[in-house]
Amino acid sequence: LFRADGTRGASAPRDVVFFPGTFDPPHEGHRSAARAAAQRSGRPIVYQITTDPPHRVALTVQAMLSRARGLRGADLLFTQGDPLYIDKARRAPGAAFLVGADALTRMFDPRWGPAPRDLLREFVALGTTFYVVGRATPQGTFVAPEAAIPRGAPSRMFIPVTGRWDQSSSALRARGAPETP
């Protein structure tokens, strides 16, 4: 754990909301969604940079340093060996996570991991909570938080965060935009 104040820790405190992602590059959409989730939850946000995401190659040390530079002023946790949200939840039972509605939809797609019903059951058993923000898909369709929440999910497990964050790292990379510090 790399804290915003420059200190380090072996692990993150329990009473936080983890914000997993690759943050390639980090941008104002990430930061404003984190602020909204912190306000909604009453907890600080810890950006959880996944070094071995399921949809991309593993991050190099140089890439990790670049992400850290782009998220300067925030608490950061680099993790390895937990590419899926269920892996993260298993490592931190009772944890809360901030996710985009687009990521939540993918999370329950059987191509990305366990069957949706089994996945939901395990998240419930682990005491996992998700703060969900609305997001636009790469195709430009907006997915509201409520639309991404799986049917039959306990209402207290998925907490919508009001707002809209359409900025996308993919779109920034496609335009060749530099990282935003």
Side-chain angles (χ1 to χ4, degrees):
L1 173 70
F2 297 88
R3 295 185 191 93
D5 65 9
T7 61
R8 295 182 186 177
S11 62
R14 285 300 209 192
D15 198 26
V16 301
V17 175
F18 293 105
F19 187 3
T22 57
F23 305 102
D24 181 24
H27 52 71
E28 184 52 33
H30 292 129
R31 288 184 277 281
S32 61
R35 285 190 298 272
Q39 183 177 5
R40 176 84 163 98
S41 69
R43 299 173 171 186
I45 302 297
V46 173
Y47 289 84
Q48 186 177 22
I49 301 173
T50 305
T51 62
D52 54 350
H55 59 296
R56 304 189 53 192
V57 297
L59 297 180
T60 64
V61 171
Q62 181 180 7
M64 287 186 273
L65 291 172
S66 177
R67 303 315 193 281
R69 187 174 46 255
L71 291 166
R72 191 173 318 129
D75 289 346
L76 306 174
L77 180 66
F78 290 91
T79 66
Q80 185 175 26
D82 59 354
L84 302 175
Y85 285 94
I86 191 63
D87 300 324
K88 294 170 192 337
R90 287 172 181 152
R91 273 197 179 169
F97 297 94
L98 171 58
V99 298
D102 56 333
L104 184 59
T105 300
R106 281 191 311 270
M107 182 189 322
F108 285 95
D109 182 332
R111 293 176 294 180
W112 284 81
R117 187 174 306 166
D118 296 338
L119 188 60
L120 189 58
R121 191 175 305 124
E122 188 168 359
F123 280 133
V124 168
L126 291 167
T128 307
T129 303
F130 293 96
Y131 288 87
V132 186
V133 297
R135 289 271 306 183
T137 66
Q139 298 76 27
T141 305
F142 180 74
V143 181
E146 297 81 4
I149 296 172
R151 287 182 143 180
S155 60
R156 296 189 342 214
M157 183 180 191
F158 295 95
I159 302 165
V161 177
T162 304
R164 186 170 172 146
W165 296 274
D166 290 346
Q167 192 169 16
S168 153
S169 294
S170 300
L172 289 173
R173 284 192 313 274
R175 289 194 318 253
E179 289 189 14
T180 56

